[in-house]
Amino acid sequence: MNKNVEENPNDYIATIYINGMHGRMLRLPSTVKNKEILIVYGRNQNLEQLFYLAKELNKYGNVTIPDIPGFGGMQSFYKIGEKPILDNLADYLAAFIKLRYSRRKVTIFGLGFGFIVVTRMLQKYPNLMKKINILINYGGFIHKDAIILDRGTYVLMHYSADILSWRLPAWSLKYFFLKPYLMSWIYSRSSNNSSYNLEEINQSDLRTFLKATSIMLKLDLSDHQINLTVYNIPIKQDWLDEQLVEQHLNVVYQKVRVFNPMTNKNNHSKVSGAHSTMEIPASLKRLLAKNN
């Protein structure tokens, strides 16, 4: 880790303005000056949560995490009269990469929904493939069939996510139903006693959050090939079939390499902080170090 990095993420966060939307960006400079690492986060994450991951990766290069429209406090596409469809999110990310890394290559670390956006961006802008040193998927997928849901739950979520993302239903949901006492009561009666962090949802634009859920439930990115190797880190998620995730990746990407952090518990490090825990396989660390 870069010893000069302090513990306060606010010291490294700056304002950005792209495509008519205000947001933030976290930037950690590294002693490895010639290497760039871009983290694209998922639906339930923000800059502060991922600060500890950024610090861990900082020893391998300069780390940048931009806000995504509608997430982490950034203004949504609705603010500029557009919808947060996947192609618009891909356009935003492509614009950021072109501006930030105009003459440099970059390693991209896609987390969950962030990897979906990265994949669509590479399909829509194939010229950006040449800018990527390493592409890493942590917990993402590219086809809806990898989601493990019974038919009734899938149909309910499929249609409700779309309907609730409309202006009036989303407003009603936010101000009348997404209340801590109500959600606690619901989850206290669920079969697995699971919980959901309302603070994470409230940091995002609710309509965008719901639209992203709809995107995931309809997702099929299997029709465009990407001439890159993707390094896949499967993580245990009860709602996702990792074997199908890997199969789908093999359809789209030229090659898939799997880094399994659970293969050897002594062969990975755990990055924890701000309600976010991630496992970084030693094999990935060696790859990042080798490419310095």
Side-chain angles (χ1 to χ4, degrees), residues 61-74:
N62 306 302
V63 179
T64 302
I65 313 177
D67 269 338
I68 304 300
F71 298 103
M74 187 173 187

Side-chain angles (χ1 to χ4, degrees), residues 78-127:
Y78 292 113
K79 291 288 186 180
I80 59 172
E82 297 185 21
K83 294 181 179 180
I85 60 175
L86 188 54
D87 275 5
N88 286 344
L89 292 165
D91 292 344
Y92 164 83
L93 184 59
F96 180 88
I97 290 174
K98 290 174 183 177
L99 287 170
R100 190 74 193 177
Y101 307 107
S102 59
R103 298 185 179 181
R104 291 168 290 174
K105 290 194 172 184
V106 60
T107 290
I108 297 183
F109 206 107
L111 310 179
F113 185 75
F115 179 75
I116 294 174
V117 177
V118 171
T119 298
R120 183 58 191 141
M121 177 196 71
L122 292 172
Q123 291 177 331
K124 194 172 182 182
Y125 299 93
N127 60 308

Side-chain angles (χ1 to χ4, degrees), residues 199-225:
E199 181 182 354
E200 293 173 355
I201 298 178
N202 289 333
Q203 286 175 338
S204 302
D205 172 70
L206 182 58
R207 296 181 68 191
T208 302
F209 184 90
L210 291 165
K211 198 66 178 177
T213 302
S214 177
I215 289 170
M216 293 166 66
L217 292 169
K218 301 175 183 177
L219 188 65
D220 182 359
L221 297 179
S222 61
D223 58 343
H224 288 80
Q225 304 300 305

Side-chain angles (χ1 to χ4, degrees), residues 154-220:
Y154 175 84
V155 171
L156 176 64
M157 291 183 65
H158 183 187
Y159 289 102
S160 61
D162 257 344
I163 294 170
L164 291 172
S165 68
W166 300 348
R167 185 190 301 271
L168 184 57
W171 183 89
S172 300
L173 179 65
K174 180 175 182 178
Y175 290 103
F176 292 103
F177 295 99
L178 285 182
K179 300 298 180 183
Y181 68 86
L182 178 60
M183 298 302 290
S184 297
W185 181 84
I186 292 172
Y187 283 115
S188 70
R189 284 155 178 76
S190 65
S191 58
N192 58 2
N193 291 320
S194 61
S195 62
Y196 213 89
N197 192 333
L198 280 180
E199 181 182 354
E200 293 173 355
I201 298 178
N202 289 333
Q203 286 175 338
S204 302
D205 172 70
L206 182 58
R207 296 181 68 191
T208 302
F209 184 90
L210 291 165
K211 198 66 178 177
T213 302
S214 177
I215 289 170
M216 293 166 66
L217 292 169
K218 301 175 183 177
L219 188 65
D220 182 359

